[in-house]
Structure formats: structure tokens, C-alpha cells
Amino acid sequence: RDPRDYDAWIDFAKLEESAGDRDRIRDVYERAVAEHPTTAEKDVWRRYIYIWLFYALYEETQARDVDRARQVYGAALDLIPHERFTFGKLWHQYAWFELRQGNVDKARRALGQALGRCPKNSLFRAYINLELELREFDRVRTLYTKHIEFNPANCATWVEFARFESALGEEPRARAVYELAVEQPTLDMPEILWKAFIDFELELGHTDRVRSLYERLLKLTDHVKVWISRAQFELDTQGQEAARSVFEEGDGRLRDVGRKEERLALLEAWRSMESDGGDIESVERRMPTRVRRRRVLDDGSMEEYFDYVFPDDTQGSRFKLLAKAHMWKQTQHSE
């Protein structure tokens, strides 16, 4: 059997734990952790580190030997090649172990050391959660600030920071966080950030701020969901005529950039709104015709696809003229 089959070692240790012989349990764990990985691959090390985690948990929760559990954590942390990678779960579990013993400073020192050696998102979140548990809100702010400095493109962190401030009743602080966030040159998920910002102002009843945010956002994107969301907001706050104006503007913008499928989605949402006592016929006149076309692929083969021809589409008008000419020609032949 492979002496570095770490899953097998874990199963073996759990089997001995069920028997309850402390010396045999420790012997299995010691033999298992002695089989260090011979590769620098993190996936291999991950299974190995799990043995240390189970070992430390056994010492703390079953053997009730706190000093030995601390030694196990220390030995595991000394073994990891931190210059290559680290394991946030190990640092996190060790910090919470110290917190359970009432050693707040040791818990903070552990997570601070982890961030100093190998900063990563999960470690920042673990440290933030620890300070939240302790209700040390100034420390939480400091950690969020450092987390953002480490990864300013991470929208989830910006949103969490703003929601933290909002939960404390610090509306100006929360708004300032959102404003800083949307000004970042690079964001991994900007749609989540903008939605959170809009929802924040909406929950506070600041309709003018919400409208301003939609206007700013629509200068950055023509995504159909944003147009529909803006129209729904106007419908809820100002009525059908205001929503109709947004749909009209969105239809024109999507037409100009040639996004046919998104334009169709917008028109369908518009038609749905007008179906409730509105001018549905005006929307129906804008709806496209679905046509089958063929195109040449890179390898020279032909592919059929469906296209949408809108009444105000130049190509669509040409298509209709050709169709009428074809019908006239057929009529002439039949005569």
C-alpha cells in the first residue's frame, strides 16, 4: 500500500478513534504525518494537511489536551512551504482554536502572520469574521480597507464592506464605500456591485439617487437587464409614461448597437407592461420577424441560423422589398 495515501491514513485514524485507544490513535496520526509529500503540488499537500487538522481536532475535542493540540497546529504550520502556498483553513482553524481557549491576541497574531506570509481572500474573510464575532468594528474597518488594497477588483469585498457600514447605521460611510468601488478601473463583477448600490439607495427611499445611479450605469453598459430594471423602477415610482420613455430610449440604443436578441427581450418586457391597460399596439409594430438565414463558416461549410428583422431595420426593409418582388415574380409566372 502507498504510504502517502493520505485518505487511507485518515480512514485508519478515524477507525482507531472509534475504538478509543488514545495511544493507538496518536500512533496512527504520528505515522501518517511522518509521510511528508515529496511533491510541491498543492492538491497533494491539501490531503496531507487534512491529517494534521483531524489530529489537532482529536487532541482538543476528544483527548482534551489543549497543549498537545497547540503543538500539532504549530508543527503543521512549520511544515508548509509558505513561500509557495499556504492553507487558509489551517490558519483559520488554529485561530479559532486559540479563541476558544480565550487567547484573543494569539488568534489575531495567527491570522496576521498568515496574511503577512501569503495574503488571500479567504484569510481576510476569516480575520474579519473573527473581529465581527468580537464586535471590534474599528478593527473590521481596518481589515476591509487592507483587503480592498490587496484586491481592489473584488466586488464582493466592496459590497460586504458597504453592507457592514449600513448595518451599523453609517449611511454616509456605506455610500462612500460604494462610490469608491464603482470608480475602480477594473472590477470582477461590476453588475453585482451596481445592483447592491442601487438596492441600498432604494431601501432608503432615495429615488433621485437611484435614478442618478441608473443614468450613470447606462453610460457604461447597454445590457438589456439594466434597461428593464430602470423601466420597472420608473413604473413603480412615476408610472407607465415614465417607464415607456425608458423603454423607448433603450430600444433606440439597442438598435444603434445592433443587439437584436437583447432588443427583442426589451420589447417583450415593454409589451408585457403595456398589456396592463397600455398602448400594446405601438409595441407590436416594433416587434421583429424571425427569419431563417444561411452563412458560410470558416471551414467553407454552410450553417443555417435564425435572425430577427425589425421594421425599422435597413436590412429588414430591403428584405421585405425582395420578398415582395419575389411574390410579384411568382404571380407573373402563374399568369
Side-chain angles (χ1 to χ4, degrees), residues 111-275:
L111 290 172
Q113 186 180 1
L115 288 172
R117 286 189 172 189
C118 191
K120 53 192 297 188
N121 292 324
S122 62
L123 287 172
F124 275 107
R125 291 194 187 97
Y127 204 166
I128 287 169
N129 288 335
L130 184 144
E131 296 297 354
L132 282 171
E133 191 79 13
L134 297 171
R135 304 185 68 79
E136 293 284 353
F137 299 138
D138 286 339
R139 287 179 178 271
V140 172
R141 286 192 182 98
T142 300
L143 286 168
Y144 270 126
T145 302
K146 290 184 179 298
H147 192 178
I148 286 167
E149 289 172 355
F150 165 69
N151 186 2
N154 190 329
C155 289
T157 304
W158 284 105
V159 173
E160 288 169 12
F161 190 6
R163 286 176 176 169
F164 160 75
E165 295 291 3
S166 181
L168 294 179
E170 297 283 356
E171 291 176 19
R173 281 178 180 267
R175 186 174 293 112
V177 171
Y178 279 124
E179 287 290 355
L180 280 172
V182 297
E183 294 299 324
Q184 297 304 306
T186 304
L187 294 167
D188 57 1
M189 292 184 290
E191 66 281 3
I192 291 176
L193 177 63
W194 279 97
K195 184 180 184 305
F197 196 177
I198 289 169
D199 288 345
F200 164 74
E201 297 291 5
L202 200 57
E203 288 173 7
L204 294 173
H206 297 161
T207 55
D208 289 342
R209 289 182 183 274
V210 173
R211 189 170 291 110
S212 175
L213 286 173
Y214 272 121
E215 290 170 357
R216 289 165 60 186
L217 179 56
L218 286 169
K219 290 178 181 178
L220 301 174
T221 180
D222 282 313
H223 199 291
V224 66
K225 288 185 177 180
V226 179
W227 282 108
I228 294 173
S229 179
R230 167 77 190 278
Q232 185 62 51
F233 162 72
E234 296 296 355
L235 180 65
D236 294 339
T237 57
Q238 289 197 313
Q240 208 168 49
E241 191 60 39
R244 189 176 292 124
S245 177
V246 173
F247 277 123
E248 180 88 33
E249 183 183 358
D251 182 45
R253 286 269 290 274
L254 293 173
R255 177 198 61 214
D256 293 343
V257 295
R259 296 183 181 175
K260 294 186 176 183
E261 291 187 358
E262 291 193 17
R263 188 181 178 193
L264 173 60
L266 181 84
L267 289 172
E268 288 174 343
W270 187 357
R271 181 170 60 184
S272 176
M273 183 200 74
E274 298 288 2
S275 65

Side-chain angles (χ1 to χ4, degrees), residues 57-113:
L57 281 174
Y58 165 76
E59 294 293 353
E60 179 191 3
T61 62
Q62 295 189 48
R64 307 289 183 181
D65 192 333
V66 171
D67 290 336
R68 192 177 178 100
R70 186 176 288 111
Q71 291 172 9
V72 171
Y73 280 119
L77 290 168
D78 287 342
L79 277 172
I80 296 174
H82 297 284
E83 68 280 0
R84 291 176 176 269
F85 49 76
T86 193
F87 291 93
K89 188 174 182 64
L90 177 60
W91 288 104
H92 187 190
Q93 188 167 305
Y94 171 53
W96 282 92
F97 159 76
E98 292 293 4
L99 193 62
R100 285 191 294 274
Q101 314 315 313
N103 299 322
V104 175
D105 288 341
K106 284 187 176 181
R108 285 173 172 153
R109 196 177 304 122
L111 290 172
Q113 186 180 1

